[in-house]
């Protein structure tokens, strides 16, 4: 009997894995446009050859790999293929972390985590395959956090979280707002839930990680910003070589190399941002309500102060995105980061077998299971892909256009 059960479990895992793989490949082929935006190719021309400058790590990796392989990297084809390879590696890493989380999930929560994995896949794969974000530095930043999550899940090599966090900031200083939050909240959970010896280790890791990230952020954002003026023309020419149709994203190079603030030029998009985030919130309110209710119940349920703080940190961890929402305009990217944060938090906390968290998740599931609207609740998120850059998603943009035309 036990053998039959084990065979059934293996069969279910294989079926899920097969369907997940089909979904991933299908989503990628649906949204991949076979070309890369000038913004992302221009980033490859910036490297640490010109100093320890902001956003220089991707270009450094690209140029170093090209030299080692002895190939001509200064072509658009080479740049596109590099990003295609990096995207494939990212999807592989993404799948690996979720597989580990699923394997560490208890039997009773397997189906819940499988649904969350499919939901995160539906949001993630199209976003980084579509024309707006293919080759975007976001996949490199998120990869840094995914590796850190992997190490914290398997509880091996946790000290590597410190350099991984640093690497995330070296890809882009916006990492501290976008994807660093998931690493911080899991570290905080580990600190609260671990015994004395492990707690000390996780406290040291968290403190050192924050210090290193803070120093790097200040360096890139303030002290070295625009510190390679004499190389501007060389970088611009290289950017044109790798750009589609020989074009370069001059504003990106001006901002990173000459230190020119483009905030005023972005201001024209702010009215669009405000309209869209309101529309997005209204359209996604059922899911926002479920997440909000889960964390409120968890906090109120706790009798110990630090346990309350644990769930409070998990619930408000996405607020690290607030500076981006207030001062920048890529609301599609910021919104994806928020969605990714909460889905990863739910998956990881279930994988860590947090008893109180799992009880609340089962309570949420029992609330919606078997209702008339349940199939709609499961299918509805598929309307909200892919996330763009400035525009959140096409559906939200069209709703805003319709509202404006009526009013």
């Amino acid at each position: 009997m036990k053998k039959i059960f084990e065979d059934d479990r293996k069969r279910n895992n294989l079926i899920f894995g097969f369907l997940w793989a089909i979904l991933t490949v299908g989503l990628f082929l649906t949204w991949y446009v076979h070309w890369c935006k000038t913004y992302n190719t221009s980033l490859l021309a910036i490297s640490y050859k010109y100093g320890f400058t902001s956003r220089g790590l991707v270009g450094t990796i690209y140029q170093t790999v090209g030299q080692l392989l002895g190939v001509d990297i200064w072509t658009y084809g080479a740049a596109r293929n590099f990003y295609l390879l990096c995207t494939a590696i990212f999807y592989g890493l993404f799948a690996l972390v979720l597989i580990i989380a699923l394997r560490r999930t208890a039997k009773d929560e397997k189906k819940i985590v499988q649904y969350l994995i499919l939901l995160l896949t539906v949001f993630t794969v199209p976003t980084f395959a579509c024309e707006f974000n293919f080759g975007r530095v976001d996949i490199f930043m998120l990869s840094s956090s995914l590796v850190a999550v992997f190490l914290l899940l398997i509880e091996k090599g946790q000290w590597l979280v410190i350099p991984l966090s640093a690497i995330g900031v070296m890809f882009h200083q916006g990492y501290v707002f976008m994807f660093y939050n998931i690493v911080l909240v899991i570290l905080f959970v580990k600190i609260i839930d671990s015994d004395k010896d492990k707690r000390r280790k996780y406290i040291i890791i968290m403190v050192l990680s924050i210090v290193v990230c803070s120093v790097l952020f200040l360096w890139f954002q303030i002290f070295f910003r625009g510190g390679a003026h004499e190389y501007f023309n060389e970088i611009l020419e290289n950017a044109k070589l790798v750009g589609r149709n020989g074009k370069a994203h001059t504003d990106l190079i001006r901002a990173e190399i000459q230190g020119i603030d483009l905030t005023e030029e972005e201001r024209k998009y702010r009215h669009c941002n405000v309209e869209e985030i309101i529309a997005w919130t209204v359209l996604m309110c059922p899911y926002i309500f479920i997440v909000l209710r889960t964390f409120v119940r968890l906090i109120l349920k706790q009798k110990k102060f630090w346990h309350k703080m644990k769930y409070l940190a998990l619930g408000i961890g996405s607020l690290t995105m607030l500076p981006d929402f207030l001062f920048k305009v890529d609301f599609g990217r910021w919104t994806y980061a928020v969605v990714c944060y909460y889905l990863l938090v739910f998956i990881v906390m279930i994988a860590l077998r947090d008893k109180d968290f799992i009880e609340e998740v089962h309570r949420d599931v029992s609330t919606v299971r078997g209702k008339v609207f349940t199939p709609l609740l499961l299918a509805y998120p598929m309307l909200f892909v892919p996330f763009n850059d400035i525009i959140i998603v096409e559906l939200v943009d069209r709703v805003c256009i319709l509202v404006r035309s009526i009013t």
Side-chain angles (χ1 to χ4, degrees):
M1 188 73 179
K2 184 178 179 182
K3 186 176 181 182
I4 294 173
F5 174 77
E6 288 177 349
D7 288 342
D8 287 343
R9 185 168 58 187
K10 289 179 180 178
R11 190 182 302 114
N12 290 336
N13 289 339
L14 286 173
I15 292 172
F16 173 76
F18 177 74
L19 293 176
W20 183 23
I22 292 296
L23 175 66
T24 300
V25 173
L27 287 171
F28 178 77
L29 294 178
T30 299
W31 293 104
Y32 178 51
V33 292
H34 301 281
W35 57 272
C36 189
K37 291 186 74 173
T38 307
Y39 183 97
N40 300 323
T41 56
S42 294
L43 195 66
L44 299 177
I46 303 172
S47 73
Y48 294 149
K49 169 185 174 183
Y50 308 107
F52 194 46
T53 186
S54 169
R55 307 192 204 187
L57 183 54
V58 176
T60 301
I61 294 172
Y62 176 69
Q63 295 174 33
T64 301
V65 170
Q67 289 175 358
L68 292 174
L69 296 178
V71 298
D72 182 11
I73 59 172
W74 300 116
T75 67
Y76 168 68
R80 183 192 59 198
N81 290 337
F82 170 76
Y83 279 131
L84 190 59
L85 175 62
C86 290
T87 302
I89 294 172
F90 165 73
Y91 288 150
L93 176 62
F94 174 78
L96 174 64
V97 173
L98 296 181
I99 288 170
I100 293 298
L102 183 59
R103 289 185 63 182
R104 290 177 174 268
T105 299
K107 181 183 65 177
D108 292 340
E109 288 74 55
K110 289 283 186 185
K111 290 189 180 300
I112 297 173
V113 171
Q114 286 175 351
Y115 168 68
L116 293 172
I117 287 174
L118 292 177
L119 190 58
L120 183 55
T121 301
V122 165
F123 282 127
T124 300
V125 174
T127 294
F128 295 119
C130 75
E131 61 180 296
F132 300 98
N133 294 310
F134 174 67
R136 201 92 193 197
V137 72
D138 297 13
I139 64 169
F140 299 95
M141 293 190 290
L142 181 52
S143 294
S144 296
S145 286
L146 286 175
V147 176
V149 168
F150 173 78
L151 296 175
L152 292 171
L153 274 174
I154 64 174
E155 294 192 323
K156 293 181 180 179
Q158 298 98 316
W159 291 102
L160 291 175
V161 170
I162 301 168
L164 283 167
S165 302
I167 289 169
V169 184
M170 290 163 66
F171 281 127
H172 192 305
Q173 57 267 35
Y175 173 76
V176 300
F177 302 121
M178 291 182 70
F179 300 115
Y180 188 36
N181 48 17
I182 182 66
V183 179
L184 288 179
V185 295
I186 295 175
L187 279 172
F188 189 63
V189 168
K190 291 283 188 179
I191 290 170
I192 301 300
D193 292 343
S194 298
D195 57 34
K196 186 176 180 181
D197 291 336
K198 286 186 177 180
R199 182 178 296 125
R200 186 183 297 111
K201 178 175 72 173
Y202 285 121
I203 289 173
I204 295 172
I205 292 172
M206 187 173 187
V207 170
L208 290 178
S209 175
I210 291 173
V211 169
V212 170
C213 286
S214 299
V215 170
L216 286 171
F217 177 83
L218 292 173
W219 173 261
F220 291 135
Q221 190 67 26
I222 299 174
F223 296 109
F224 194 79
R225 197 158 178 80
H229 303 274
E230 65 271 28
Y231 301 112
F232 178 83
N233 291 331
E234 178 184 342
I235 294 171
L236 182 61
E237 289 305 312
N238 287 337
K240 290 178 180 178
L241 291 174
V242 294
R244 187 166 177 249
N245 298 323
K247 295 181 179 179
H249 198 288
T250 310
D251 284 347
L252 168 67
I253 300 172
R254 286 170 59 213
E256 299 305 326
I257 303 305
Q258 295 184 329
I260 296 174
D261 188 359
L262 301 176
T263 303
E264 287 301 319
E265 296 182 28
E266 295 177 341
R267 194 174 296 278
K268 58 186 177 183
Y269 299 110
R270 295 301 293 175
H271 73 281
C272 169
N273 288 157
V274 173
E275 291 173 353
E276 288 200 1
I277 200 63
I278 293 172
W280 163 267
T281 303
V282 171
L283 291 169
M284 296 299 289
C285 62
Y287 306 91
I288 295 171
F289 173 75
I290 291 172
V291 172
L292 182 62
R293 184 180 62 179
T294 298
F295 286 110
V296 169
R297 284 177 173 174
L298 279 166
I299 294 166
L300 294 177
K301 184 178 181 180
Q302 306 308 308
K303 296 180 180 179
K304 295 182 179 180
F305 173 77
W306 284 110
H307 288 177
K308 286 182 180 290
M309 292 300 101
K310 178 178 77 172
Y311 294 116
L312 177 63
L314 288 168
I316 67 172
S318 65
L319 291 181
T320 61
M321 288 299 305
L322 195 57
D324 279 332
F325 279 109
L326 291 175
F327 301 112
K328 305 298 288 182
V329 297
D330 284 2
F331 271 39
R333 295 169 61 210
W334 315 150
T335 306
Y336 168 78
V338 172
V339 171
C340 180
Y341 168 84
Y342 283 109
L343 286 173
L344 278 175
V345 162
F346 270 71
I347 291 169
V348 172
M349 291 302 292
I350 295 173
L352 291 175
R353 306 197 180 190
D354 186 288
K355 183 180 177 181
D356 288 339
F357 195 93
I358 288 172
E359 284 181 2
E360 285 304 321
V361 170
H362 276 294
R363 196 170 176 179
D364 291 332
V365 171
S366 64
T367 302
V368 300
R369 179 179 286 157
K371 300 294 191 299
V372 175
F373 59 82
T374 299
L376 178 62
L377 195 66
L378 299 179
Y380 185 64
M382 295 183 184
L383 299 173
F384 296 86
V385 295
F387 288 96
N388 294 175
D389 44 15
I390 295 173
I391 291 172
I392 297 177
V393 294
E394 290 294 331
L395 176 62
V396 170
D397 183 50
R398 294 186 181 189
V399 168
C400 290
I401 292 173
L402 178 61
V403 171
R404 283 198 299 268
S405 67
I406 295 173
T407 56

